[in-house]
Amino acid sequence: MELIFSEIEDPRVERTRVHLLTDILIIAILSVIAGANGWEDMENYGLSKYEWLEQFLALPEGIPSADTFRRVFERINPKVFEGCFRRWVESIVETVGAQVIPIDGKTLKGSYNRTLGKTALHLVSAWSSEYRLVLGQVKVADKSNEITAIPALLELLDIAGCIITIDAMGTQTAIASQIFNAKADYILALKGNHPTLHTQVKDWFLARLAFGFEGITNSYDERVEKGHHRTEKRQVWCVPVSQLPLLHNHSDWVGLKCLVMVVRVRHLWNKTTREVQFYLTSLDCNALEEESRSQNGLNAPLPLTGVRIN
């Protein structure tokens, strides 16, 4: 970590460098990971963790003050810092072997400014489900720009050997190709933004479901989870694409191997809801793995009432 951040140029004049720049940056990052929200929190974190930090940091003059953290971060090059931070995160991912990477867009509440006419900030993020790490982020003007942001975000990451899950906004043939060509696999939510393909897949699955998938090669798994005064049952059917009739624009979906149907039934104290979702995947057919991965990356909230078939 120290070596990676040593690439950042120190903006301070020589005579004011009481603390090492790498010490300041590392303490700041670790404090933010621990929940720090400001410069004072960074200083307090350093003081409270001093004995641990001195095992791997120089700390020639102890812990920097809150004003020191503020002055340094006001003057360092943010682009260079972002690049170093991203390489550090990637080194962690490589070490721990993060496999499932959901990509999702979120609008940050309270980030708008009516006085200045600024809309809320919308970010597209890549997230390591298993290790709870944000691997990368791209800022976009609004949700409609996620389609252009996702390829840019994928370019920033080494996704080889990983499984990328994306909600319907990112279910695009070009994005599927980009993932597959980067030697990764994809699980893409299929909804109404591909009306012909979605209808074809939905009608086929529901017709076969009525007859218990008789005569169809498939993999099946189900789970029941209880908690917070609710019970949820998830059923997953995974079918090789060869079992279906020729799909609409089939050749455009590079690497496509299987279609997945997930049925979620949630029993609340006052109602029961049901949701059916479909996915395209380049993975081999295994319902248990698909169910687990669809939970991690694409487990959208269920509707409050009625039956919804996406």
Side-chain angles (χ1 to χ4, degrees):
M1 182 178 183
E2 187 173 357
L3 180 62
I4 293 175
F5 286 95
S6 64
E7 300 176 19
I8 298 175
E9 183 179 351
D10 196 330
R12 302 169 296 172
V13 297
E14 188 71 35
R15 60 182 174 80
T16 64
R17 298 180 185 180
V18 176
H19 303 279
L20 298 182
L21 180 62
T22 52
D23 285 359
I24 296 171
L25 298 177
I26 291 172
I27 294 172
I29 292 170
L30 294 177
S31 68
V32 171
I33 292 174
N37 292 312
W39 313 122
E40 291 79 10
D41 289 346
M42 292 178 184
E43 180 182 3
N44 291 334
Y45 173 86
L47 294 171
S48 66
K49 301 292 184 181
Y50 180 81
E51 292 182 0
W52 174 64
L53 292 170
E54 68 175 350
Q55 296 179 33
F56 54 90
L57 298 181
L59 303 177
E61 296 294 331
I63 301 300
S65 68
D67 284 340
T68 298
F69 284 111
R70 175 183 56 80
R71 286 193 297 267
V72 167
F73 275 91
E74 284 177 348
R75 298 173 63 185
I76 62 173
N77 187 315
K79 291 292 185 181
V80 176
F81 175 79
E82 180 184 4
C84 292
F85 183 81
R86 183 176 293 116
R87 287 194 295 276
W88 174 61
V89 172
E90 289 175 352
S91 69
I92 295 175
V93 174
E94 183 178 352
T95 300
V96 299
Q99 289 292 314
V100 181
I101 302 178
I103 292 181
D104 192 20
K106 297 291 183 184
T107 300
L108 301 185
K109 294 182 179 180
S111 59
Y112 60 88
N113 189 316
R114 290 195 181 95
T115 303
L116 299 178
K118 293 184 178 180
T119 58
L121 178 63
H122 193 80
L123 295 173
V124 177
S125 303
W127 171 259
S128 170
S129 297
E130 186 174 359
Y131 298 100
R132 303 182 63 82
L133 286 172
V134 175
L135 306 179
Q137 288 183 328
V138 174
K139 181 174 67 174
V140 295
D142 52 49
K143 187 173 181 63
S144 64
N145 288 315
E146 286 185 19
I147 295 176
T148 58
I150 291 172
L153 181 57
L154 290 171
E155 285 288 341
L156 297 175
L157 304 172
D158 180 5
I159 61 174
C162 294
I163 301 164
I164 310 299
T165 70
I166 309 177
D167 206 351
M169 178 65 74
T171 303
Q172 307 292 330
T173 56
I175 291 175
S177 297
Q178 182 180 2
I179 294 170
F180 189 77
N181 291 333
K183 303 186 185 310
D185 285 297
Y186 58 78
I187 302 176
L188 306 177
L190 177 62
K191 295 184 180 180
N193 57 337
H194 292 281
T196 303
L197 180 59
H198 177 260
T199 299
Q200 183 182 10
V201 171
K202 180 185 71 174
D203 290 348
W204 187 90
F205 266 98
L206 296 183
R208 298 306 178 277
L209 178 63
F211 295 95
F213 288 90
E214 184 178 354
I216 301 296
T217 300
N218 71 93
S219 181
Y220 172 79
D221 185 69
E222 68 176 57
R223 291 188 185 183
V224 177
E225 294 186 358
K226 298 181 179 180
H228 303 290
H229 307 289
R230 71 186 183 198
T231 301
E232 180 173 298
K233 179 180 180 180
R234 287 187 296 275
Q235 297 175 285
V236 181
W237 289 265
C238 185
V239 179
V241 70
S242 60
Q243 295 292 296
L244 283 79
L246 187 64
L247 297 174
H248 179 68
N249 293 335
H250 181 180
S251 61
D252 293 341
W253 297 97
V254 176
L256 178 63
K257 288 184 179 179
C258 296
L259 281 298
V260 182
M261 179 173 72
V262 180
V263 178
R264 296 183 178 92
V265 178
R266 180 180 293 178
H267 300 281
L268 306 175
W269 69 273
N270 61 342
K271 66 189 71 173
T272 297
T273 63
R274 183 174 185 268
E275 182 182 29
V276 182
Q277 292 182 309
F278 303 97
Y279 300 93
L280 310 174
T281 180
S282 61
L283 291 164
D284 291 324
C285 198
N286 185 304
L288 178 60
E289 291 181 2
E290 298 297 343
E291 189 274 344
S292 176
R293 290 161 183 159
S294 65
Q295 282 186 69
N296 288 332
L298 299 169
N299 193 9
L302 299 182
L304 294 179
T305 58
V307 177
R308 172 178 157 201
I309 299 180
N310 288 321

